[in-house]
């Protein structure tokens, strides 16, 4: 991890928060695969469209470890990170391929709409619309909508946590929520936000820039869809796997949310990966903890969804 940080410093590329959103998206996408593992080959990868409540067709990508004709597969709706401003299906392609491969389930990765063009609560609405659509129409894609999970990293983890709460309220059963270093607090004022504010991939100024793009008013920060820690009641939500990075501004709020779920009687598996930073999940070529996290997430999905890993031939 230290070597990654040194190489990033030597590259001396501009911080994303000093760029326009469009420039930041291009820069993030250009570097997204540099530290990734080799993409897992899958027999079925196809682009699909999922309708949002306003009629917009949301791009998504379906990954499946077997052909549609071989039977319905349970599904994970995956929501990428990027501060609601950057990131895409493309930037998280390798991760979603690996999860489908190891977990033996389908993964649907969603291109929800990004800020500042689409501010709060558009991303949350898009994610929830996609989850509901999969529950109602997943069979048309060869999916078993009775066995579903939702997950994401960073901002995508925030969206996944919100979806789990909305699903509970709507009576939509989920078997698991996978929260990878999720944002859960309203004001980024925990100790870790100050302890790890600089020099560790995700910086305080960058977080502020992301959220300035996303929120419309101060009141948006007090909405539990932005800050799940503000939810009045989390009892009865789906069991959670919470994967955190030790050297991350978001680590404290991740622990706090896991504790909040546990106090409400929700089964929680919490793992804090030592010595790594935000974004480590996408650094599997050089960071062993990323590969360990892939395996842990896949194992949790297999246990929750009743699947088996793909056997390499």
């Amino acid at each position: 991890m230290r070597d990654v940080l040194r190489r990033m410093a030597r590259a001396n590329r501009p911080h994303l928060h000093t760029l326009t959103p469009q420039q930041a998206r291009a820069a993030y996408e250009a570097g997204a695969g540099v530290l990734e593992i080799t993409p897992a080959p899958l027999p079925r990868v196809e682009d699909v469209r999922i309708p949002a409540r306003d009629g917009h067709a949301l791009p998504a990508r379906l990954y499946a470890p077997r052909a549609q004709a071989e039977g319905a597969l349970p599904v994970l709706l995956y929501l990428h990170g990027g501060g609601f401003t950057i990131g895409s299906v493309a930037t998280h392609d390798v991760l979603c391929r690996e999860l489908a491969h190891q977990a033996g389930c389908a993964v649907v990765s969603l291109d929800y709409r990004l800020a500042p063009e689409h501010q709060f609560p558009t991303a949350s609405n898009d994610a929830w619309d996609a989850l509901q659509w999969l529950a109602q129409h997943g069979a048309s894609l060869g999916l078993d909508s009775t066995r579903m999970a939702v997950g994401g990293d960073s901002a995508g983890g925030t969206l996944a946590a919100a979806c789990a709460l909305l699903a509970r309220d709507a009576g939509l059963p989920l078997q698991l929520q996978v929260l990878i270093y999720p944002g859960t607090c309203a004001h980024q004022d925990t100790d870790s936000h100050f302890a790890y504010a600089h020099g560790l991939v995700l910086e305080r100024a960058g977080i502020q820039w992301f959220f300035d793009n996303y929120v419309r008013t101060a009141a948006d920060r007090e909405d539990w869809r932005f800050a799940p820690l503000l939810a009045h009641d989390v009892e009865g939500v789906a069991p959670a796997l919470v994967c955190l990075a030790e050297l991350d501004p978001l680590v404290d709020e991740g622990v706090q949310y896991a504790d909040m779920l546990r106090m409400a009687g929700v089964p929680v598996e919490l793992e804090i990966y030592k010595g790594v930073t935000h974004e480590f999940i996408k650094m599997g070529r050089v960071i062993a903890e990323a590969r360990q996290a892939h395996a842990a997430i896949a194992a949790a999905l297999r246990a929750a969804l009743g699947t088996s890993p793909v056997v390499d031939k």
Side-chain angles (χ1 to χ4, degrees):
M1 189 76 249
R2 188 179 293 113
D3 184 57
V4 169
L5 295 173
R6 286 171 180 162
R7 280 188 276 169
M8 290 175 64
R10 282 200 302 271
N12 198 31
R13 294 189 177 91
H15 292 290
L16 295 181
H17 65 268
T18 66
L19 306 174
T20 67
Q22 295 75 21
Q23 290 170 334
R25 288 169 198 156
Y28 183 64
E29 186 154 340
V34 172
L35 300 177
E36 291 273 27
I37 59 174
T38 302
L42 294 170
R44 186 181 177 204
V45 178
E46 60 186 68
D47 291 327
V48 298
R49 296 274 177 168
I50 296 176
R53 65 189 65 186
D54 61 2
H56 179 77
L58 298 166
R61 186 169 295 165
L62 168 64
Y63 304 86
R66 67 180 187 224
Q68 187 169 349
E70 296 180 49
L73 282 167
V75 60
L76 164 70
L77 174 65
Y78 194 85
L79 305 161
H80 67 78
F84 308 102
T85 304
I86 63 174
S88 66
V89 164
T91 62
H92 286 63
D93 179 82
V94 174
L95 176 60
C96 289
R97 284 174 180 270
E98 189 64 19
L99 294 181
H101 176 73
Q102 288 199 35
C105 69
V107 176
V108 172
S109 179
L110 182 70
D111 257 335
Y112 56 87
R113 285 171 283 185
L114 299 176
E117 296 90 342
H118 303 280
Q119 293 181 298
F120 179 86
T122 303
S124 185
N125 289 345
D126 285 354
W128 174 230
D129 291 351
L131 188 64
Q132 292 180 96
W133 187 89
L134 287 172
Q136 295 164 9
H137 304 285
S140 66
L141 298 175
L143 305 176
D144 179 357
S145 297
T146 67
R147 293 183 290 163
M148 296 181 63
V150 67
D153 61 291
S154 196
T158 307
L159 297 174
C163 278
L165 286 159
L166 289 163
R168 185 269 318 266
D169 294 344
L172 192 164
L174 295 177
Q175 274 63 56
L176 185 69
Q177 55 178 317
V178 178
L179 309 180
I180 305 168
Y181 35 75
T184 64
C185 70
H187 297 288
Q188 294 69 59
D189 53 3
T190 63
D191 289 347
S192 62
H193 272 281
F194 297 97
Y196 307 124
H198 305 290
L200 294 169
V201 180
L202 180 64
E203 301 210 333
R204 186 169 180 81
I207 297 171
Q208 187 63 50
W209 180 76
F210 286 136
F211 293 162
D212 284 346
N213 285 325
Y214 184 50
V215 299
R216 301 161 301 178
T217 68
D220 286 345
R221 287 179 171 271
E222 307 303 323
D223 190 305
W224 60 263
R225 292 170 296 174
F226 174 80
L229 273 169
L230 297 180
H232 295 301
D233 171 25
V234 296
E235 186 176 359
V237 301
L241 172 65
V242 183
C243 299
L244 307 178
E246 181 188 18
L247 309 176
D248 182 357
L250 306 188
V251 65
D252 284 355
E253 64 201 81
V255 171
Q256 289 173 14
Y257 195 63
D259 286 347
M260 182 178 175
L261 293 173
R262 280 177 173 154
M263 289 291 288
V266 176
V268 176
E269 183 180 349
L270 170 65
E271 183 67 40
I272 303 175
Y273 290 86
K274 303 298 184 182
V276 296
T277 71
H278 202 80
E279 279 282 292
F280 84 95
I281 198 77
K282 297 172 74 276
M283 301 178 184
R285 187 163 59 82
V286 293
I287 303 293
E289 287 77 7
R291 300 188 295 276
Q292 293 165 11
H294 298 165
I297 294 166
L301 286 167
R302 292 195 304 270
L305 300 176
T307 57
S308 300
V310 174
V311 178
D312 293 317
K313 297 179 180 178

